[in-house]
Amino acid sequence: MRGRDTDRAGFAVNDGVRIYYEVAGDGDPGVLFVPGFQIAPGRQWKMQVPFLAREARAVTYDPRGTGRSDRPLADYGMEALVGDALEVADQAGIDRFVVVAISGGARPAVALAARQPGRIAGVVLIGGSIHPGAAATPTLSLEERRAWALRDYAGWARDWWATSFPEPHSSKPQDDGWEWAQATDAPTLIATSVHGGAAMDVRAEIERVHCPVLLIHGTWDRRVPHEFAHEMQRFFPQSVLVTIDGAGHFPHVRDPVRVNLLLREFVADLAARKVA
Amino acid sequence: MRAREPARSGFVERGGVKTYYEQFGEGEPTVLFVPSSPIMHSQQWKGQVPYLAGHFRVVTFDGRGNGRSDRPNAAQAYADEEVIADTLQVMDATGTNQAVFVVLCHAWWVLALAAAHPERVLGLIAIAPAVPLAPVHPNRAKYLESFDELRDTYEGWAKSNRHYWLKDWRGFVTFFFGKMLPEAHSTKQLEDIVDWCLGTTPQTMLLNRDAAHFPRTKEEAEAVCRRVRCPVLVIHGDRDECQLPARGEAVAELTGGRLVIVKGAGHVAPGRDPVVVNMLIKDFVESVAEPKPRHIIWERAMQRPRRALFISSSIGLGHVHRDLAVARELRALIPELEITWWAQHPASVVLEAAGERMHPKSHLQALESAHWEEESTQHDLHAFYAFRRMDEIFLANFMLFHDITRETPYDIWIGDESWEVDYYLHENPELKIAPYVFMTDVIGFLPVDAANDPREAELTADYNAEMIEQRARFPYLRDLSLYVGEDYEELPDAPFGPGLPNIREWARQWFEAVGYIVPFDPAPYRDTDALRMRLGYGRGYPLVMAAVGGTAVGRHLLRRVAEAVPLLREEVPDARVVMITGPRIDPRELPDAEGLEKRSYVHNLFEHLACADAAIVQGGLSTTMELVAAGRPFAYVPLRRHWEQQNYVSYRLSHYGVRTRIDFDQATPDRLAATLQALLTQRPVYREIKPGGAQRAAERIAALLKRG
């Protein structure tokens, strides 16, 4: 059973690609949860939605390439991802909203904030990555990893999640991760990376982002190492960085209470800052 | 003593009227505390300023008619437009383009200012706002129409009258603010407010009453509120007899602001509920300020080392040694425990010398020992009144404690007579987020002069009653209450006050006795010759030690001891007197004498006292009990009006068989010399202090941290 039933679900259509979204709560402002790598669909926010929906309108969606959304084998570039997010926001009926993004989801989130300053009230980046350099150096090459995923998807995906949750006693999040991974497959994941993904760079757009920014980053993040959080704080001079000592790449899954409280406080502060 | 002094102060002048302002702290934004003038002045914010100045820039001023500002003699001088112009000029003089305004009651003109000058007002906190959006409180309304008429009686709210004001201004404000403070145990707040009200006159208040104030009608008030564009927070007590909460609700609604109702609170929440008001102000200011880049580190729970925060009260040096002894025993039981100390000068000197880790923000505390020194003259410290006047220091230090315990998660808070922490935690029990241990050797207040000062007897009973009620209502707040004593018979056999429990009986019920804590094993100190050789005093002559603890209160006693030295040496020519002045008394202030050596600080003071052939000390508990433990002959001179030294310490010392108490009035150089001469020939027999107090305390504390 879910922690909270969805109030409304549907599909947003962006250039013919259907994006599945869910809405919970109807408070103001909206909160749009932007996913990153397609190995994790909208359900990764299951610990946030029931809490935030009490006071805000929480909107989650499966990114193109997984879950109930379409899985094209190309077209995972910036324009497509930003378009998906905006289309979902429109369909969910959130006009001005906070964007909460994980990992590579930071790129469309930042682009959105730069291009739609009137709509984006604030940005939260969790384990955020804004350019191709901000990634841990893996032991295997890109080709080797792709070959492994195609040959042994379960083994590769389980390893991916084990690396993402280095915290002790993470068996449940790791099992959840494997379940989420099964909402897509290796060829689609490879397509997301070949046709967009980690190659995108939004550094050039950052100077147009003026809204409040909250960065949340674990010191044990083995996907986007913590040093990049400091780099990001230099890019966003207005930002608050919350370092979670001992957390991996998905603190919203593994440390949900702390992350939920941070999100609520961030959203509440924005709501209090009435425009003069 | 004030908890925080201004960084800058000065006057602005408009049309010959001077307005006094003060500025505190740095950083953006500025918080401007508006006075409820002329009835009060800027001191009304004494509970807020020290805390908020630690986070923001703070400006206060005395409105015309009170405090250090002028008192013009014409009604029009008190019109709202004049006060608004003063406020803007204070802002200009302090370089304040914009501020968050905080106002109690007198919100009507601040709302007008916010509506007319939106560029100057970043946000507005209106506490119990007086704006005619809802009816006047019925109690006050009854006599409003006939304010100017002579009345047959001036009982109750009928005191709200021109003629009564002029006849008995103190009587009026005492009645009025008594009603404003319906909360139990508000004696200090009422006393403060009456004092501030006496800073103005009924004549000034009547001029102010006749001045032009805005808005007059509900419609005007609504229009003003609707023009306010900045974020607004309204705080209102539901027992407010000055302004009905409906007024606060209306202000919040019309300005689109947030409303916080404080249930059970009267009109003066900043004074009576300062902790919650301070936190609301801080949150609000942060929410309207430009976000600043920050880096916050949060440790996952299982990442955290075991940490204890040891709050060592610093009024004297007495407690810090026993706290170190407890810490030593605690480390023996839990070697990995990281102990951080929350203490002030002079205790911090001892802790640093012992290689202990001070909390890096310890030094930001308002200095308690400076307050005690300021309060004491001629070996006379009215400890209870001094304690009572320390309210703003206690509050400022509690707020700091609150902040640092949210910044670092501790596994336990251990407080040795941590009065401010204990009191404000009971006032705000939801702020307890760690196991909390309170230890003390003194329980309750007793008057020192009940016959001549009935007020003191009333107030000490009220403080005791509040403590008893707090403990009964929130017993879970302390996980451990440790009584530093072996036997409850060491406590005075007296009630806490009329109709209140007996001190011994109540202590037995609410505390666990761990025994007296002597910070050292007295056995090795019984061989005074060896000790004297080790400390470099040598043998073969009578050695007298004089010490007065860590504060400067004992300066006058030391002076008399210095004057007694030549007299003593007439009788005992080879006697040598060593005087330890402590870190806060300069030895050069005291007279020199043949055979007298003055030292400002010695490490491990008790070793030096323990090798003396006779000692003279103040009535501080730790020092006297250490002398009992070491079996040394000594005389003690309790501070004259110190409730603890006069009552509790004397009780305990007589329980252990100490007989030589000298009252300061009798402590002439002659008497001191004679007493010392007699002590040099004595071998006293004291009741034994059972060893292991520190270990027993540590065991009880460790059980909260670890099983098995």
Side-chain angles (χ1 to χ4, degrees):
Chain A
M1 205 184 79
R2 287 187 169 208
R4 187 196 196 281
D5 286 337
T6 296
D7 291 342
R8 191 157 68 77
F11 289 92
V13 183
N14 178 24
D15 207 8
V17 175
R18 284 162 31 108
I19 306 296
Y20 175 75
Y21 69 87
E22 294 183 346
V23 181
D26 60 358
D28 187 43
V31 179
L32 179 69
F33 290 94
V34 177
F37 188 29
Q38 284 75 356
I39 197 168
R43 277 287 284 159
Q44 68 179 301
W45 306 106
K46 66 178 186 175
M47 303 297 216
Q48 280 67 54
V49 169
F51 177 67
L52 286 161
R54 278 161 33 193
E55 281 155 36
R57 181 177 295 195
V59 181
T60 57
Y61 62 98
D62 293 338
R64 54 171 66 203
T66 187
R68 298 193 215 181
S69 295
D70 287 350
R71 302 187 203 173
L73 285 174
D75 207 6
Y76 288 92
M78 184 71 86
E79 299 314 313
L81 298 189
V82 172
D84 290 351
L86 267 181
E87 198 57 44
V88 166
D90 289 346
Q91 291 301 314
I94 49 173
D95 180 37
R96 187 167 165 78
F97 53 96
V98 175
V99 181
V100 180
I102 169 70
S103 190
R107 294 161 201 183
V110 168
L112 206 56
R115 298 172 194 185
Q116 301 278 335
R119 291 190 68 178
I120 309 300
V123 173
V124 183
L125 306 179
I126 303 173
S129 159
I130 50 169
H131 64 90
T137 317
T139 38
L140 297 178
S141 71
L142 186 62
E143 290 68 31
E144 286 170 324
R145 280 180 281 147
R146 285 176 180 167
W148 182 14
L150 288 167
R151 186 178 70 245
D152 171 19
Y153 184 61
W156 171 85
R158 281 200 172 275
D159 177 75
W160 196 94
W161 284 107
T163 306
S164 299
F165 289 113
E167 300 94 333
H169 315 297
S170 295
S171 62
K172 181 61 167 65
Q174 287 169 358
D175 284 353
D176 279 354
W178 166 231
E179 195 185 311
W180 297 335
Q182 292 172 76
T184 183
D185 54 26
T188 309
L189 290 180
I190 290 167
T192 69
S193 127
V194 171
H195 302 281
M200 293 185 293
D201 189 337
V202 286
R203 281 177 290 184
E205 303 207 41
I206 286 176
E207 63 184 34
R208 286 187 285 140
V209 177
H210 299 294
C211 64
V213 174
L214 170 66
L215 308 170
I216 301 174
H217 219 115
T219 55
W220 290 7
D221 191 330
R222 293 178 188 172
R223 302 226 157 268
V224 183
H226 183 261
E227 65 205 64
F228 292 105
H230 291 295
E231 186 194 0
M232 290 236 283
Q233 201 173 24
R234 285 195 294 277
F235 277 110
F236 297 103
Q238 76 275 38
S239 66
V240 172
L241 166 61
V242 177
T243 291
I244 305 186
D245 194 14
H249 188 51
F250 285 82
H252 56 299
V253 180
R254 191 62 183 80
D255 285 301
V257 173
R258 177 69 353 220
V259 171
N260 285 352
L261 295 174
L262 287 169
L263 292 179
R264 181 170 71 176
E265 192 186 343
F266 183 75
V267 171
D269 280 357
L270 290 175
R273 197 169 294 129
K274 219 168 58 172
V275 182
Chain B
M1 199 185 83
R2 293 176 79 171
R4 185 173 176 132
E5 295 293 333
R8 196 159 84 86
S9 61
F11 290 89
V12 294
E13 191 173 336
R14 278 185 54 257
V17 178
K18 280 178 158 177
T19 297
Y20 175 74
Y21 66 84
E22 293 185 337
Q23 185 204 309
F24 305 79
E26 302 165 25
E28 284 299 309
T30 298
V31 183
L32 179 73
F33 286 99
V34 172
S36 308
S37 58
I39 196 159
M40 287 194 234
H41 56 73
S42 57
Q43 268 298 96
Q44 74 180 94
W45 300 108
K46 68 177 197 173
Q48 282 64 52
V49 168
Y51 177 60
L52 290 150
H55 295 276
F56 315 107
R57 192 165 168 274
V58 168
V59 174
T60 64
F61 66 96
D62 292 339
R64 43 179 65 197
N66 205 335
R68 300 195 209 181
S69 295
D70 285 349
R71 287 137 174 84
N73 198 19
Q76 68 268 24
Y78 295 93
D80 286 345
E81 58 192 44
E82 298 294 338
V83 180
I84 289 174
D86 287 346
T87 307
L88 294 174
Q89 195 165 356
V90 166
M91 289 180 79
D92 293 342
T94 54
T96 310
N97 288 328
Q98 257 196 333
V100 175
F101 282 59
V102 186
V103 60
L104 170 67
C105 191
H106 294 206
W108 68 86
W109 66 262
V110 182
L111 285 160
L113 187 154
H117 304 275
E119 74 289 350
R120 308 299 298 262
V121 187
L122 188 58
L124 167 57
I125 301 178
I127 305 168
V131 185
L133 292 164
V136 175
H137 196 286
N139 288 343
R140 294 173 58 216
K142 216 164 128 189
Y143 295 97
L144 220 52
E145 290 291 306
S146 59
F147 180 83
D148 296 318
E149 295 166 19
L150 279 165
R151 289 184 192 138
D152 298 336
T153 170
Y154 294 102
E155 279 309 297
W157 280 101
K159 288 186 168 60
S160 189
N161 177 278
R162 174 180 297 271
H163 306 285
Y164 190 78
W165 280 19
L166 291 166
K167 191 178 79 168
D168 182 10
W169 176 239
R170 177 191 282 270
F172 168 72
V173 295
T174 305
F175 166 79
F176 179 83
F177 283 102
K179 291 288 176 192
M180 297 302 104
L181 286 158
E183 304 91 342
H185 311 298
S186 298
T187 60
K188 183 60 165 71
Q189 286 83 0
L190 181 58
E191 198 174 285
D192 281 350
I193 292 176
V194 168
D195 192 44
W196 303 328
C197 292
L198 296 177
T200 189
T201 60
Q203 288 79 9
T204 299
M205 287 298 296
L206 290 170
L207 291 174
N208 175 66
R209 204 171 182 281
D210 295 336
H213 295 298
F214 186 84
R216 288 270 171 211
T217 65
K218 186 165 183 274
E219 290 67 33
E220 280 176 5
E222 284 174 355
V224 168
C225 286
R226 288 211 177 87
R227 279 168 56 211
V228 172
R229 287 279 163 271
C230 64
V232 172
L233 169 67
V234 177
I235 303 171
H236 217 123
D238 72 344
R239 293 171 72 195
D240 190 334
E241 273 202 52
C242 185
Q243 304 300 327
L244 284 172
R247 291 188 159 185
E249 285 163 24
V251 170
E253 198 189 321
L254 290 164
T255 58
R258 224 179 110 214
L259 173 68
V260 175
I261 295 286
V262 184
K263 289 189 85 172
H267 185 56
V268 200
R272 195 59 185 83
D273 286 301
V275 174
V276 67
V277 168
N278 286 350
M279 295 195 309
L280 286 169
I281 296 174
K282 176 168 175 273
D283 285 353
F284 178 81
V285 175
E286 278 174 351
S287 76
V288 301
E290 281 298 307
K292 270 174 266 176
R294 277 183 302 153
H295 185 195
I296 297 158
I297 297 178
W298 182 266
E299 288 169 296
R300 295 196 69 234
M302 294 304 287
Q303 283 287 103
R304 298 173 199 164
R306 286 178 198 267
R307 292 191 187 100
L309 185 69
F310 211 130
I311 307 133
S312 184
S313 164
S314 303
I315 292 170
L317 272 177
H319 296 157
V320 70
H321 292 288
R322 83 172 174 214
D323 295 340
L324 277 167
V326 172
R328 265 195 305 277
E329 297 292 342
L330 201 49
R331 286 192 178 110
L333 296 167
I334 308 177
E336 73 274 24
L337 186 67
E338 286 181 6
I339 299 175
T340 301
W341 294 84
W342 184 246
Q344 330 181 335
H345 194 274
S348 53
V349 175
V350 176
L351 291 165
E352 274 160 9
E356 293 289 338
R357 180 215 325 246
M358 298 301 300
H359 191 284
K361 291 189 179 171
S362 274
H363 70 281
L364 296 177
Q365 293 177 83
L367 210 52
E368 290 178 12
S369 53
H371 172 81
W372 290 104
E373 279 158 29
E374 196 182 289
E375 291 277 345
S376 62
T377 51
Q378 284 290 322
H379 211 70
D380 182 11
L381 171 64
H382 201 303
F384 172 71
Y385 285 130
F387 184 93
R388 181 171 162 82
R389 278 190 289 269
M390 201 153 67
D391 55 343
E392 66 178 282
I393 292 177
F394 275 156
L395 173 66
N397 291 343
F398 175 78
M399 295 306 306
L400 262 176
F401 168 84
H402 170 264
D403 281 2
I404 64 137
T405 50
R406 310 302 119 153
E407 286 164 14
T408 308
Y410 293 96
D411 291 86
I412 196 164
W413 303 333
I414 306 163
D416 187 353
E417 301 195 4
S418 47
W419 303 111
E420 77 284 26
V421 171
D422 202 68
Y423 177 77
Y424 284 111
L425 280 180
H426 281 90
E427 287 280 280
N428 303 273
E430 63 287 345
L431 300 183
K432 169 188 157 76
I433 52 165
Y436 169 55
V437 179
F438 178 76
M439 50 195 253
T440 183
D441 52 66
V442 58
I443 297 170
F445 297 94
L446 284 178
V448 292
D449 191 12
N452 295 311
D453 185 0
R455 175 84 174 146
E456 186 204 7
E458 261 173 51
L459 291 174
T460 51
D462 183 63
Y463 275 42
N464 292 337
E466 187 175 29
M467 170 185 74
I468 292 164
E469 289 164 23
Q470 286 181 333
R471 292 304 299 128
R473 177 61 186 84
F474 299 107
Y476 63 81
L477 210 128
R478 295 183 194 158
D479 295 82
L480 264 183
S481 290
L482 299 180
Y483 167 58
V484 183
E486 197 170 290
D487 189 333
Y488 294 100
E489 305 296 310
E490 294 169 33
L491 290 167
D493 185 15
F496 281 110
L500 294 173
N502 175 279
I503 294 175
R504 289 179 183 175
E505 295 312 311
W506 189 82
R508 209 183 300 278
Q509 202 179 340
W510 288 92
F511 281 86
E512 288 178 48
V514 291
Y516 191 77
I517 297 173
V518 181
F520 57 94
D521 173 9
Y525 297 96
R526 302 253 158 86
D527 179 0
T528 50
D529 277 359
L531 195 55
R532 279 170 68 162
M533 293 308 287
R534 178 157 70 77
L535 296 173
Y537 290 114
R539 288 175 296 192
Y541 64 92
L543 175 61
V544 175
M545 286 282 170
V548 290
T551 68
V553 180
R555 178 184 287 124
H556 306 286
L557 176 61
L558 288 182
R559 175 171 293 278
R560 293 193 188 175
V561 171
E563 286 162 10
V565 173
L567 304 173
L568 175 65
R569 280 172 59 98
E570 280 175 21
E571 303 297 326
V572 190
D574 58 343
R576 183 178 159 204
V577 178
V578 176
M579 187 176 275
I580 317 296
T581 63
R584 302 192 73 88
I585 301 173
D586 184 347
R588 286 169 300 188
E589 295 174 33
L590 300 164
D592 292 312
E594 192 80 17
L596 170 66
E597 182 192 343
K598 296 173 287 184
R599 302 175 69 177
S600 68
Y601 175 80
V602 291
H603 188 56
N604 288 348
L605 173 66
F606 57 82
E607 293 192 338
H608 295 257
L609 292 171
C611 70
D613 297 305
I616 180 140
V617 294
Q618 242 168 229
L621 179 65
S622 304
T623 305
T624 50
M625 286 298 284
E626 281 162 21
L627 287 163
V628 170
R632 305 318 302 157
F634 71 96
Y636 70 101
V637 185
L639 290 172
R640 272 197 295 202
R641 292 187 296 168
H642 192 296
W643 96 90
E644 187 183 358
Q645 297 195 1
Q646 290 289 343
N647 294 310
Y648 291 79
V649 179
S650 285
Y651 260 95
R652 178 170 265 153
L653 289 176
S654 70
H655 179 80
Y656 281 92
V658 179
R659 303 279 171 257
T660 326
R661 168 182 162 146
I662 308 176
D663 287 328
F664 185 72
D665 296 337
Q666 269 98 57
T668 57
D670 279 332
R671 171 82 188 273
L672 291 173
T675 304
L676 287 169
Q677 189 192 343
L679 287 171
L680 285 171
T681 63
Q682 282 176 14
R683 282 290 157 266
V685 180
Y686 299 131
R687 184 192 290 261
E688 195 209 355
I689 302 173
K690 289 208 188 88
Q695 194 188 337
R696 279 188 296 279
E699 280 166 3
R700 300 294 296 121
I701 296 167
L704 293 172
L705 288 164
K706 218 171 180 177
R707 305 260 165 201

